[in-house]
Each structure stands twice: as structure tokens, then as C-alpha cells.
Amino acid sequence: MNNAKEVLKELFGISEVQAVAIEKLYFQAKTPKDILGFKKYYDLTMLKKQFIGTSYEKLSLVCAYAELDLKKRYENIESFLEWLFISFSNRFIFQTRKGDFSYSYVLKYYDGSIAYDEKGKPILKHYDCEDSVYYINANKELCDEQKRPLAAGVFYNKLIEYMFENQDRIIYDNQIKIAPVAKTPIATQAIKDYEQNYLEYKQKQNELYNANKDKFISRLKQRLEK
């Protein structure tokens, strides 16, 4: 076997036409030695993924997965997420420590309006991530350590970005080490922020009420004096 096409036919039991197609898509400029090395990856992937179909279909699926697994997931977040949800299900896959990354929310009042500082800029609330582990469920959703799906938003996006940049910390063996550290529950922080927002909202409403009250009294006096 002195060329890639012949090696593909022999190792994977596919026809010459199929071997030409596979070589063109995935093994251009590859040597027979490269394909022999790929055979081990193929066997391990089939053992884990249990792809079904003809010999050609299974080889095509493994080749496509290999391209994602060995190359594309390191190039952009979209490919990383595709690889992540294909590769894992019903298991913990990542762990963070407090302060691994930070994120910010725009502060809003109780009525949903944005709070601004004295310079007219939106007020940002800054947070550090907590000690936590993250789970992928059967629906291919990223979840918190209680296996509740994470809502899309600022925190979710920062977490995904951090995972993408630290793929060496993906948990493959499902072994998680949780340090016995005290932490403030996110829910507690959310309640505090809600209460603060409400107080600021009431203060704003009182200021508007007093301003309107003064205008009303002034207009009423003007009419009575006529």
C-alpha cells in the first residue's frame, strides 16, 4: 500500500470512489503513515461515540468529528460549543475557582430603567465568578452545579469565553475536587442588588413627585391670584 487511497480502502473497507472522496476532503497531502496513525483515533472515537451506518458513513462522521476535535474547536467559540455539546452529556465538564474571571452588569432601577452616575454613564456592578462546577445535561444545555440550565446573558457569555480560553481544564474523567470554602450564594447577592435597586428607584420616584408637587402648587397659586 503505497498511497493514501489504497490505505483508506484497506483499513476502512470502502470503495475506490469513496476513498477518493475521503482523501480529497480530509487527507490531502497525507501519507499512508498518517492514515495508519489516524486508525487508532478512529477506533477510540467509534468506541466512545458508537456512530452507526455504512463503513463510508462511519468514516465520514469520524473524520468530521476529528476536524472539530483536533482543530476547529481551538479556532473560535462557535466551533468550541459545537464540539462541547457533541462530546459531553449528563456529566460535569468544568470547574472554576473564585476570581478566575470577572463580569459586569448594568445597574437598573425597579422599573427597568438604567441607572446613571453623575457623569451620565451607566452604573456597572462588578462581580467575580465563584467556586463552582458546571454540567451538561441530556438536552445539551450548560448547567450550574445544581444541574439547572444557565440563562443566556453576561455571565453565561463570560463563562463560555473563559472555558474556550482554558480548554486544558475540561474535565474528561468526571473526577471533581471541590474545595471546602465558604462562599456567598449568588441568590443572596441578587436579593441585595434587588433591594438596593428598589431603594434607589423609590428615591428617584420621590424626587419626581416632589418636583411635580412644587410645580402644581406654583401653578395653583398663580391661578388663585388672577
Side-chain angles (χ1 to χ4, degrees), residues 62-167:
V62 174
C63 286
Y65 178 76
E67 191 172 47
L68 192 63
D69 182 34
L70 303 177
K71 181 183 177 183
K72 288 187 175 180
R73 69 175 169 114
Y74 298 104
E75 297 177 345
N76 58 74
I77 290 178
E78 291 74 20
S79 294
F80 168 67
L81 285 176
E82 183 182 356
W83 168 82
L84 192 71
F85 293 130
I86 288 174
S87 302
F88 303 100
S89 181
N90 288 329
R91 59 176 296 172
F92 290 100
I93 51 89
F94 203 80
Q95 184 170 17
T96 57
R97 296 299 184 189
K98 183 174 177 61
D100 273 349
F101 64 88
S102 301
Y103 57 102
S104 304
Y105 285 102
V106 174
L107 183 64
K108 293 184 179 181
Y109 291 108
Y110 181 71
D111 63 351
S113 60
I114 296 175
Y116 296 91
D117 61 19
E118 63 276 6
K119 296 181 180 180
K121 296 182 179 180
I123 298 174
L124 297 177
K125 299 285 286 184
H126 302 283
Y127 302 95
D128 286 331
C129 71
E130 298 288 343
D131 290 274
S132 190
V133 289
Y134 300 93
Y135 184 88
I136 290 181
N137 64 18
N139 296 323
K140 305 302 182 181
E141 297 171 302
L142 187 60
C143 307
D144 62 18
E145 59 187 28
Q146 304 301 321
K147 302 182 181 180
R148 298 170 300 196
L150 295 172
V154 175
F155 174 77
Y156 182 91
N157 292 339
K158 290 296 292 186
L159 174 62
I160 292 297
E161 181 181 335
Y162 185 77
M163 291 171 63
F164 170 67
E165 294 171 351
N166 295 273
Q167 294 189 43

Side-chain angles (χ1 to χ4, degrees), residues 43-56:
D43 291 338
L44 289 172
T45 302
M46 282 300 300
L47 187 64
K48 291 187 293 184
K49 298 300 177 187
Q50 297 293 310
F51 292 134
I52 59 174
T54 65
S55 296
Y56 175 72

